[in-house]
Amino acid sequence: MTGTSSSDTGIGASALAHLEVGVPVFFVLSGFLLFRPFPLAAVRGDAAPDTRAYLWRRALRILPTYWLTVIGAVLFLPVNEGTNAGKLLQHLALVQVYGDEGPIGGLDQMWSLCTEVAFYAVLPVLAAGLGRLSRGRAARPWPALLALGGLAVAGPLFLYLVRLHPWGYHPMHLWLPSFAGWFAGGMALALLSVADRGWAPVRVVRALGRHLVVCWAAAAVLYWVACTPLSGPYTFAQPTPVESVTRNVLYMGIAVLVVLPLVLGQEHGGLVRRALSGATARRLGEVSYGVFLVHMPLLAGFYAWLEIPVLTGPPIPVFVIVWGASVAIAGLPLRRRRAAGAPVPFAGPRPRPDAPGGTGRAPGPR
């Protein structure tokens, strides 16, 4: 819900439109959280996480509610009358970004889920390759860190090329390679979080991570730059290749700076850490995926019910209504599970001594 119409002007409209920066923050977090068990196992001398179990957990996490959302959007949104079986199957399989038909109405945001799922699929292979590069150097894995730096360069380069030479109507700028740098940023943080604390790169990032205000102030500066014409239009107009790359790199920097002090900074206390580990933040985390799924179908349905063009009308009441309805719907399964006395899945793991913010220290060289 961060889009703006072509008539919106001013820095306020630009700042609102660029709240899409939440996507790179999420991709950096995914890269950190999902990749971290692999280098941690290498440092400990343990076997790598089981690929089949990892993929099964990912599938159970995202697919059931996603499938319900897709089917609901097709059945109940007027714009989707006449949706053919092929297009529906593409969406159910999360491969719609590789076609040229466009998204089902109300499901425009699902491109990021397609990209996330593609990352899930390649991560075990990528982790194995990085492990081989740093074999015998698990505590100071400089070859893997260099490889991730290469991915951070390759992502914007791929994006530049597909913007320069588009392939028909295929949205290649939404494919995983365009966002390789965002995931690589999170993976690099994961690598450094378990590496030898005496290693120079670890000392540098941990020293920076201890200064949350500095990191977030730098992220705010980059966000301000992203809101200028340097990163292209903030409406639905298409950016140039250079503008696309500029925005991609700025978003990568913002996301890494936002996440860095949270995973490699102060390990105990602090107002921000207490807020993010509190009950309210946990509840929001529990419903966040559901809100992501349903907010756009609800928005499309709301405008269809009012019979006015999408993204018109008073933005604040629309936001409050749609966001409130999204949270309520996303929380229904959790409330039912709690009422039945069943455990709430995916509510967040308990802190571990080896986790960022835990009480332990990353192992030294073995």
Side-chain angles (χ1 to χ4, degrees):
M1 285 179 58
T2 60
T4 60
S5 70
S6 60
S7 62
D8 293 331
T9 58
I11 189 64
S14 179
L16 179 64
H18 285 88
L19 288 177
E20 63 181 6
V21 75
V23 176
V25 171
F26 177 74
F27 283 179
V28 168
L29 280 171
S30 292
F32 177 86
L33 293 171
L34 297 179
F35 175 61
R36 190 174 186 271
F38 293 91
L40 180 60
V43 168
R44 289 174 165 176
D46 298 335
D50 181 75
T51 299
R52 287 178 296 181
Y54 152 78
L55 292 175
W56 179 246
R57 288 193 301 270
R58 291 290 90 201
L60 287 179
R61 171 71 175 97
I62 66 169
L63 289 179
T65 46
Y66 169 73
W67 286 337
L68 287 175
T69 304
V70 171
I71 294 171
V74 171
L75 291 178
F76 298 112
L77 292 181
V79 69
N80 292 325
E81 290 182 8
T83 298
N84 60 63
K87 190 170 185 177
L88 175 60
L89 289 174
Q90 283 185 348
H91 281 71
L92 292 176
L94 281 164
V95 296
Q96 62 266 33
V97 295
Y98 307 111
D100 58 0
E101 296 185 31
I104 287 174
L107 300 180
D108 305 68
Q109 84 281 19
M110 299 303 183
W111 71 264
S112 61
L113 189 57
C114 296
T115 302
E116 179 80 3
V117 166
F119 175 68
Y120 294 165
V122 304
L123 178 60
V125 177
L126 182 58
L130 293 173
R132 286 182 179 274
L133 279 177
S134 297
R135 182 175 293 173
R137 303 184 179 91
R140 298 190 174 193
W142 62 263
L145 198 60
L146 288 178
L148 291 171
L151 284 179
V153 174
L157 178 60
F158 177 87
L159 179 60
Y160 178 83
L161 293 175
V162 300
R163 284 294 194 185
L164 189 64
H165 303 290
W167 181 32
Y169 293 101
H170 294 77
M172 296 176 67
H173 63 287
L174 300 181
W175 294 2
L176 175 61
S178 295
F179 308 103
W182 300 358
F183 288 106
M187 294 171 70
L189 293 178
L191 206 63
L192 294 171
S193 75
V194 300
D196 175 20
R197 293 198 176 193
W199 191 30
V202 176
R203 292 201 308 270
V204 170
V205 295
R206 285 192 178 274
L208 180 59
R210 285 194 290 270
H211 301 283
L212 182 145
V213 173
V214 173
C215 290
W216 284 13
V221 171
L222 294 182
Y223 186 77
W224 175 81
V225 175
C227 292
T228 68
L230 285 175
S231 67
Y234 57 83
T235 62
F236 294 119
Q238 292 298 310
T240 67
V242 171
E243 290 169 345
S244 290
V245 169
T246 301
R247 183 179 301 190
N248 183 283
V249 173
L250 286 171
Y251 280 3
M252 176 170 56
I254 293 167
V256 170
L257 285 168
V258 167
V259 174
L260 169 60
L262 301 179
V263 299
L264 288 169
Q266 183 180 358
E267 295 185 346
H268 306 285
L271 178 62
V272 173
R273 186 173 295 277
R274 287 197 300 271
L276 293 178
S277 60
T280 300
R282 287 199 302 271
R283 291 293 175 86
L284 289 174
E286 291 170 6
V287 302
S288 61
Y289 178 58
V291 170
F292 163 77
L293 291 178
V294 304
H295 81 280
M296 285 296 289
L298 287 176
L299 184 67
F302 183 69
Y303 279 110
W305 177 63
L306 293 177
E307 297 183 342
I308 61 175
V310 176
L311 298 182
T312 59
I316 294 179
V318 170
F319 170 80
V320 171
I321 292 170
V322 173
W323 189 83
S326 300
V327 171
I329 293 173
L332 280 175
L334 301 176
R335 288 194 293 271
R336 289 179 178 176
R337 292 186 68 88
R338 286 194 175 97
V344 176
F346 319 116
R350 293 184 176 88
R352 300 183 320 188
D354 59 351
T359 58
R361 296 177 59 88
R366 288 184 176 235

